[in-house]
């Protein structure tokens, strides 16, 4: 099942992430797809808030993964620079799948073959206005 939301602003994009968080459980993977500047990290900020995670959410571009502790902890990945299976293994991605984290994975198109089949897929596309985003959420697993 999928649905599309028109987000008119970064605050609304964050609210969409916050709303989705209420449907997630430890072990769920949220795979984010879309071009640069579409609000993926903003969406993850909302996920973190909705999961009750502490701390500031920023893109883990160079660290590759940031952990955000909370009642349901969040592991936030950036797969932009991942170009091989060895690169992916070095991020710890597979280890996190077996832990009690929700995983949010930016640039999931770079690791599509490694994503669990029941992940929640979130695709971002530009809307008509400068800050508008079309966010399509395809539910899988327990979400």
């Amino acid at each position: 099942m999928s649905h599309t939301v028109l987000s008119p602003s970064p605050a609304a994009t964050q609210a969409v992430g916050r709303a989705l968080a209420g449907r997630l459980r430890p072990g769920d993977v949220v795979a984010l797809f879309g071009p640069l500047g579409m609000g993926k990290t903003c969406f993850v900020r909302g996920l973190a808030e909705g999961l009750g995670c502490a701390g500031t959410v920023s893109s883990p571009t160079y660290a590759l993964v940031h952990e955000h502790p909370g009642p349901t902890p969040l592991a936030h990945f950036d797969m932009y620079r991942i170009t091989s299976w060895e690169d992916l293994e070095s991020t710890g991605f597979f280890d996190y799948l077996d832990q009690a984290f929700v995983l949010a994975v930016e640039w999931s198109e770079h690791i599509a073959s490694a994503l669990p089949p029941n992940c929640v897929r979130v695709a971002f596309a530009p809307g008509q206005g400068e800050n508008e985003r079309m966010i399509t959420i395809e539910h899988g697993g327990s979400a």
Side-chain angles (χ1 to χ4, degrees):
M1 178 176 109
S2 70
H3 69 280
T4 300
V5 176
L6 174 63
S7 171
S9 68
T13 296
Q14 195 166 328
V16 174
R18 194 169 37 253
L20 176 62
R23 303 185 66 177
L24 300 174
R25 303 291 171 261
D28 285 341
V29 175
V30 180
L32 307 169
F33 298 85
L36 188 66
M38 287 292 107
K40 294 182 291 288
T41 300
C42 185
F43 183 89
V44 174
R45 267 187 213 105
L47 281 178
E49 287 176 7
L51 293 171
C53 295
T56 302
V57 173
S58 62
S59 180
T61 301
Y62 296 104
L64 301 179
V65 62
H66 289 162
E67 289 185 10
H68 301 283
T72 301
L74 175 69
H76 179 198
F77 287 87
D78 185 318
M79 300 299 186
Y80 184 76
R81 299 181 316 147
I82 301 304
T83 59
S84 70
W85 196 259
E86 291 78 24
D87 287 349
L88 178 58
E89 287 179 343
S90 75
T91 68
F93 176 76
F94 296 107
D95 296 327
Y96 280 94
L97 291 173
D98 296 328
Q99 297 180 31
F101 283 84
V102 166
L103 278 63
V105 185
E106 293 192 39
W107 299 101
S108 285
E109 47 272 71
H110 291 205
I111 64 158
S113 64
L115 292 170
N118 63 344
C119 67
V120 178
R121 296 173 178 268
V122 183
F124 295 80
Q128 296 202 353
E130 181 180 341
N131 291 316
E132 283 185 351
R133 302 293 182 259
M134 300 298 296
I135 304 171
T136 301
I137 301 171
E138 182 180 336
H139 296 281
S142 64

